[in-house]
Amino acid sequence: LLKVVTELVPDVHELVLRYVDEDGDTCLLTEQTFDDFVEQCTGGPLRVAAAGNRGQSGRLCPGKIWRHLRGEVTPELIAELMVTHGELAAAMVERKAWKLDRVAGWWPEKVRPVVAVVVEGLRDITEISACRAGLEHALDAELAGLGQAVIDLAREFATQPGEVQRRIAEALSVHLVPLIDRLRGGRRV
């Protein structure tokens, strides 16, 4: 598999392959884990994520992007990451939505403004109006069901054509920069 991917994308270096096991954990695909990977086949397709450094630009795989992020987090960077790694983000949101519900229950006064900003950012994007309505409902229902609403949004985002993803990413990225800076501890690396 590694050889095939390397031939398809020759300018990627330090290539690694990953898969998601039955517990939802992301695992490194190696000779030792290959049998576990094959056991994941339940009659459907086997999915592998390939990541690595690309050419001279030093673009990093999604698993390392936050650790190696240099400089200021910009709306353009966030939009590019959203479009480039939409499916990966959707899978992560599905696994972690319960944490979002928990945090919303603990600190609704901090979560509510973030959700309101996301809802407002999505207002003019008709392709995902049902997802926006789900977020609005969560706002009206004291944030109940927020995790599922975010899962629905992430899934819908991942299925949209590139131009729609870019519009969504650009609409949201401006509002996500302050949140991401806070999550990174307010530091500029």
Side-chain angles (χ1 to χ4, degrees):
L1 286 174
L2 195 58
K3 182 179 177 188
V4 170
V5 173
T6 303
E7 288 175 21
L8 290 172
V9 192
D11 61 333
V12 173
H13 309 286
E14 301 174 31
L15 188 65
V16 293
L17 300 177
R18 292 189 173 93
Y19 66 97
V20 177
D21 69 9
E22 70 274 359
D23 298 323
D25 298 317
T26 301
C27 304
L28 189 63
L29 181 57
T30 64
E31 286 182 41
Q32 293 79 20
T33 61
F34 187 78
D35 289 339
D36 180 56
F37 168 68
V38 172
E39 288 176 14
Q40 305 310 307
C41 183
T42 58
L46 288 171
R47 294 180 182 237
V48 176
N53 291 331
R54 185 177 199 115
Q56 298 298 321
S57 68
R59 291 179 60 177
L60 295 166
C61 68
K64 296 180 181 177
I65 194 75
W66 295 113
R67 276 187 284 150
H68 295 283
L69 195 58
R70 300 282 184 256
E72 191 171 334
V73 176
T74 64
E76 295 79 18
L77 175 65
I78 299 305
E80 179 64 28
L81 289 172
M82 287 174 70
V83 171
T84 305
H85 305 297
E87 285 188 31
L88 181 68
M92 184 183 72
V93 165
E94 287 195 46
R95 289 193 319 272
K96 305 291 184 177
W98 65 272
K99 285 185 178 181
L100 181 56
D101 284 331
R102 183 185 296 174
V103 169
W106 287 340
W107 297 293
E109 70 282 355
K110 292 182 180 185
V111 174
R112 182 178 298 284
V114 173
V115 176
V117 164
V118 169
V119 167
E120 186 57 37
L122 297 174
R123 186 141 331 269
D124 296 328
I125 303 173
T126 58
E127 292 87 349
I128 57 168
S129 59
C131 296
R132 187 185 71 244
L135 290 171
E136 288 172 335
H137 176 74
L139 274 174
D140 293 341
E142 299 301 314
L143 301 175
L146 180 61
Q148 186 60 52
V150 174
I151 287 172
D152 294 343
L153 175 62
R155 284 179 182 161
E156 188 62 29
F157 176 84
T159 64
Q160 294 296 320
E163 71 179 55
V164 175
Q165 284 186 350
R166 178 126 341 254
R167 283 191 2 246
I168 295 167
E170 288 171 357
L172 294 182
S173 62
V174 173
H175 305 293
L176 294 176
V177 168
L179 174 64
I180 290 169
D181 274 343
R182 282 202 343 238
L183 292 173
R184 292 175 63 214
R187 67 182 191 270
R188 303 277 191 216
V189 183

